[in-house]
Amino acid sequence: MFVTMEDLLEKLKLLDYEEEALRRHNMRPLSRHYFALPTNPGEQFYMFCVLAAWLITKAGHPFEQPQEYDDPNATISSILSALRSFGRSVDFPPSKLKAGSGEQACYVLDCLAEEALKYTGFSWKRPAYPMEELEEEAIAEDDAELTLNKLEEDIAEEESDGEENFIDLNALKAQTYKSDMNNSTKQEEILESTTDAAEWNLEVERVLPQLKVTIRTDNKDWRIHIDQMHQHKDGIESALKETRGYLDKLQNEISRTLEKVSSREKYINNQLEHLVQEYRVAQAQLSEAKEKYQQGSGGVTERTRILSEITEVLEKVKQEMEEKGSSMTDGAPLVKIKQALTKLKQETVQMDIRIGVVEHTLLQSKLKEKSNMTRDMHATMIPETTIGAY
């Protein structure tokens, strides 16, 4: 998970996420393990959604930028559907991404970053290492002290020079002979020394300290290692001579003890064979009893579940019966019915009174109309009789 997060951060830097994604939302750059460790779930989830939306858009699929107060389930489902559209597998529940951190969040962002790099045409190249110039180290050496390795090198060089001189000796015989013939005339001058003895002694005393060679021991030298090896070998041999007798004695005692243990073990096995058989039979019976117990416990759990369901149904029936019984024993509905009947009777009486008033009014109007009709008839018949008399 931490390695995936570091790879993701490198891919985001290649995509220039600081300029294109973070600066637009005024966010700080990510740390190396930002999505690997849970620190602030709300902030991490918002950062996860912002980077996922930006990477999906960067990969060529338009994606709406999520807001801070959007539904997290809808946002996660949109991100996962976009990830599946790239051909990536999602084998974890979406709720794992709500924390904004963890292995799943790093996996989703890493896949989206790879798709974005593919879409932009980025390709990994081999690293180009710069040529580093090696600085020459000046090593100050003391001319008065030499190590064994340096002394061996000097001896080897002198031997090689001696071999070269030996090879060139035959070639130079003629030259040396000629030089001896030419210098024979000057030998008389060389035989007499003109150097003062006191000055010679002073010069020898002055040069003598510089001619001393002190060999400094080096712990890495192979000669010291060989000496140490010989010393250790002698110590081991001397110690082995003393301890060999004790080791042989201890070996004999251990072998005798092992033989006794094996014989006792055989004797115990022979004596307790019938007990072992009984134990095996008891073990088999115990395993069968455990299997029966497991089966019986499974049946008990199933019957317990059925009993709980029946109990719930019984409680509901009891509750309904109590409600009906309370409604049957309660006199409030009867009182309401009586009040309604008295009210109906009062209304009936009032309606009867109104009907009687209306009938009386109708009768009076009919009588009045009949009297008016008879009066009009009498008024029309009197003039005709008078006219007939005349």
Side-chain angles (χ1 to χ4, degrees):
M1 180 173 57
F2 293 96
V3 176
T4 305
M5 179 60 207
E6 292 180 1
D7 294 342
L8 170 62
L9 188 59
E10 296 297 330
K11 294 172 185 176
L12 292 175
K13 288 180 181 178
L14 291 173
L15 293 170
D16 198 11
Y17 81 109
E18 295 179 354
E19 297 292 334
E20 298 185 10
L22 298 184
R23 184 166 293 181
R24 186 181 302 173
H25 297 86
N26 295 324
M27 293 181 175
R28 294 177 298 176
L30 302 179
S31 61
R32 291 178 60 193
H33 303 145
Y34 183 80
F35 290 109
L37 299 174
T39 55
N40 188 354
E43 180 184 350
Q44 286 177 319
F45 180 72
Y46 182 64
M47 178 69 78
F48 169 77
C49 295
V50 169
L51 289 178
W54 176 71
L55 289 172
I56 293 170
T57 306
K58 195 79 174 175
H61 291 203
F63 193 85
E64 185 178 359
Q65 190 68 32
Q67 301 299 324
E68 188 173 0
Y69 300 102
D70 290 346
D71 185 12
N73 295 322
T75 306
I76 290 172
S77 63
S78 301
I79 293 172
L80 292 180
S81 62
L83 183 63
R84 291 189 184 94
S85 65
F86 289 116
R88 300 283 183 164
S89 62
V90 179
D91 55 354
F92 55 86
S95 59
K96 294 287 186 179
L97 298 177
K98 285 187 178 180
S101 61
E103 184 179 358
Q104 290 78 17
C106 295
Y107 169 74
V108 171
L109 292 177
D110 186 61
C111 293
L112 294 176
E114 288 183 0
E115 296 297 332
L117 289 174
K118 289 180 182 179
Y119 185 79
T120 54
F122 179 80
S123 61
W124 298 98
K125 297 180 180 178
R126 290 183 174 273
Y129 299 101
M131 298 297 294
E132 296 182 357
E133 296 181 357
L134 298 176
E135 297 180 357
E136 295 181 357
E137 297 181 355
I139 302 173
E141 296 181 354
D142 191 359
D143 295 335
E145 294 182 357
L146 296 175
T147 60
L148 290 174
N149 295 329
K150 183 69 177 177
L151 185 61
E152 290 177 356
E153 292 177 359
D154 294 339
I155 293 171
E157 289 178 358
E158 289 178 358
E159 291 177 354
S160 63
D161 293 338
E163 291 177 357
E164 291 177 357
N165 293 329
F166 178 75
I167 293 170
D168 295 336
L169 186 61
N170 295 324
L172 294 175
K173 283 182 178 180
Q175 295 180 1
T176 55
Y177 179 75
K178 291 179 180 179
S179 63
D180 290 337
M181 292 297 291
N182 292 327
N183 294 328
S184 61
T185 57
K186 299 180 181 180
Q187 288 180 356
E188 295 179 356
E189 296 178 358
I190 296 173
L191 291 175
E192 295 181 359
S193 177
T194 58
T195 305
D196 190 4
E199 293 179 357
W200 180 267
N201 291 327
L202 290 174
E203 183 68 20
V204 169
E205 291 178 357
R206 187 183 67 82
V207 179
L208 184 62
Q210 298 180 4
L211 297 177
K212 291 182 179 179
V213 177
T214 58
I215 299 173
R216 186 174 57 188
T217 59
D218 189 4
N219 293 326
K220 296 181 179 180
D221 187 26
W222 60 272
R223 296 182 182 87
I224 296 175
H225 291 172
I226 290 176
D227 294 336
Q228 291 177 355
M229 289 168 64
H230 286 298
Q231 292 176 2
H232 292 312
K233 181 182 178 183
D234 295 336
I236 290 170
E237 289 178 353
S238 62
L240 183 61
K241 290 178 181 179
E242 296 177 359
T243 57
R244 185 182 292 276
Y246 297 106
L247 292 175
D248 293 336
K249 185 177 179 181
L250 183 61
Q251 182 183 3
N252 295 327
E253 291 179 356
I254 292 171
S255 61
R256 287 196 298 270
T257 306
L258 289 174
E259 289 177 359
K260 289 180 181 179
V261 169
S262 61
S263 63
R264 292 292 178 85
E265 185 178 359
K266 291 179 181 178
Y267 175 75
I268 291 171
N269 289 331
N270 293 327
Q271 293 294 326
L272 301 178
E273 187 175 0
H274 64 282
L275 296 176
V276 173
Q277 294 293 333
E278 292 178 358
Y279 175 74
R280 290 175 182 174
V281 173
Q283 194 74 19
Q285 292 177 357
L286 179 62
S287 61
E288 291 178 359
K290 285 183 178 179
E291 290 179 359
K292 291 180 180 179
Y293 173 74
Q294 290 178 357
Q295 294 176 0
S297 62
V300 169
T301 54
E302 182 67 22
R303 288 177 177 80
T304 304
R305 184 182 62 79
I306 296 170
L307 179 61
S308 61
E309 293 177 357
I310 293 171
T311 305
E312 290 179 358
V313 174
L314 182 60
E315 290 293 333
K316 290 180 181 180
V317 172
K318 285 182 179 179
Q319 186 176 0
E320 292 177 358
M321 289 177 65
E322 288 178 357
E323 291 178 356
K324 290 182 179 179
S326 61
S327 63
M328 290 174 67
T329 56
D330 190 9
L334 185 59
V335 172
K336 290 181 180 179
I337 291 170
K338 288 181 179 180
Q339 291 177 357
L341 288 175
T342 54
K343 190 175 181 180
L344 285 173
K345 287 180 180 179
Q346 292 176 1
E347 291 179 356
T348 304
V349 171
Q350 291 178 2
M351 288 297 293
D352 290 338
I353 294 171
R354 289 180 182 178
I355 290 170
V357 172
V358 172
E359 287 179 352
H360 179 70
T361 306
L362 183 60
L363 183 58
Q364 289 291 332
S365 62
K366 286 183 178 181
L367 291 173
K368 188 176 180 180
E369 185 179 358
K370 189 175 182 181
S371 62
N372 291 329
M373 288 177 65
T374 53
R375 189 178 59 229
D376 292 338
M377 289 176 64
H378 287 295
T380 52
M381 290 175 65
I382 291 172
E384 288 180 356
T385 54
T386 56
I387 291 169
Y390 288 109

